[in-house]
Each structure stands twice: as C-alpha cells, then as structure tokens.
Amino acid sequence: MKYTTEIEINQPIDKVIALFDNPENMTKWMEGLESFEHLSGEAGQPGAKSKLNFKMGKRKMEMIETITVRNLPEEFSGYYEMDGVTNHIKNKFIALSPNKTLYKTESDFVIKNNFVMKLFSILMPWMFKKQNLKYLESFKKFAESQA
C-alpha cells in the first residue's frame, strides 16, 4: 500500500531540518513515542538501526528503524519494522519561500504475516494515511512553536 502525505510549515527549511534531524525532539511531536534508542551503526547515517518504543492506549509497540538514505533536505529515508509490517518512508523537504517549507512523505506499507494489520489495510486503507498525516500535523505544530 503506497501513499503520499504533505504539509506546509511556516519555518525556514534550515530550521525545519535541524528540528527534524534531532532524535531528542521525536518524543515532543510523535504522539505515543516513549523512547528512542540507538542500536548500531553511525547514528543518523545509512545503515544505522534504532529502536522506537510506542504506547498507544494500553498497547505497547516496538519498532526498529533502519536508515537507508540521508541526503537532507532532499531525502531522509528508512525502513520501520514491527510485527510482520514494514513501512518504507521517504521524507523530503522543499523550501517554498524563505520562511515556508513543504514536508512531504512517501510511504510504502508491506504487511507480511500480521492478520489484523492486513485486515485493516483492506477494510480501512485510509487509516494508515490519516495516522501519517497526524504525525505531520504534530511536527508542524512543534516546529512552528520553536523560536
């Protein structure tokens, strides 16, 4: 399942990149993220692996991030794996003006052996895009609140 989401952020591209590229900021805008732990490789670089721990209501989830491309602002991509689901996300940042940045994501969900997620993807494919857009809106709010 492939989809694209995007949002305009009222901040210069350099500021947006600095905020996005700092893992310490992730818990400030990514709802449900409790911790981010670097596991291997050079942090923030292709090949690096990190563990993200989420709490969604009463449910806890662990996700492994593997960075595949780091060429900011043009692209920051990675694979996110959890419970039979892999999501390849390509993040792109485009300066629209000196004080406005377009943040665009291209997602490719592959659901292997997770029956519940497979069912959701068939019955409610919009749910995945909606969740991704929620994160973009949260990042926008966070970025625009920074001086």
Side-chain angles (χ1 to χ4, degrees):
M1 172 178 30
K2 295 182 181 186
Y3 59 88
T4 300
T5 54
E6 58 184 50
I7 198 161
E8 290 183 13
I9 299 171
N10 295 311
Q11 285 282 19
I13 194 166
D14 292 342
K15 177 80 170 185
V16 170
I17 295 301
L19 293 169
F20 173 84
D21 199 31
N22 183 346
E24 292 178 14
N25 289 334
M26 292 175 73
T27 57
K28 297 174 184 172
W29 61 269
M30 193 172 285
E31 183 182 338
L33 180 64
E34 292 187 317
S35 65
F36 177 89
E37 176 188 348
H38 176 71
L39 298 174
S40 65
E42 185 179 343
Q45 298 300 317
K49 290 188 180 286
S50 300
K51 179 169 54 172
L52 292 83
N53 289 303
F54 287 88
K55 185 174 182 185
M56 304 284 199
K58 294 179 181 178
R59 186 172 171 221
K60 290 192 176 230
M61 298 182 297
E62 181 180 290
M63 185 181 302
I64 301 297
E65 170 195 65
T66 304
I67 297 172
T68 56
V69 177
R70 180 189 174 84
N71 183 26
L72 289 168
E74 289 81 19
E75 181 180 351
F76 183 90
S77 295
Y79 284 96
Y80 298 82
E81 300 172 272
M82 110 186 162
D83 299 332
V85 178
T86 302
N87 187 11
H88 178 246
I89 299 179
K90 185 182 292 188
N91 298 280
K92 297 179 178 187
F93 300 89
I94 301 162
L96 299 176
S97 71
N99 291 307
K100 189 171 280 201
T101 303
L102 179 69
Y103 177 14
K104 181 177 180 178
T105 66
E106 297 172 4
S107 297
D108 184 7
F109 260 98
V110 177
I111 302 168
K112 298 172 187 160
N113 55 1
N114 186 318
F115 177 76
V116 174
M117 292 295 275
K118 188 79 129 176
L119 191 60
F120 276 126
S121 73
I122 293 167
L123 299 176
M124 298 182 288
W126 51 267
M127 182 181 73
F128 293 87
K129 186 173 183 177
K130 183 179 176 182
Q131 180 63 43
N132 200 22
L133 188 55
K134 185 177 177 181
Y135 284 137
L136 290 186
E137 289 168 348
S138 185
F139 180 76
K140 171 186 170 78
K141 184 178 177 182
F142 166 70
E144 290 179 353
S145 72
Q146 303 303 298

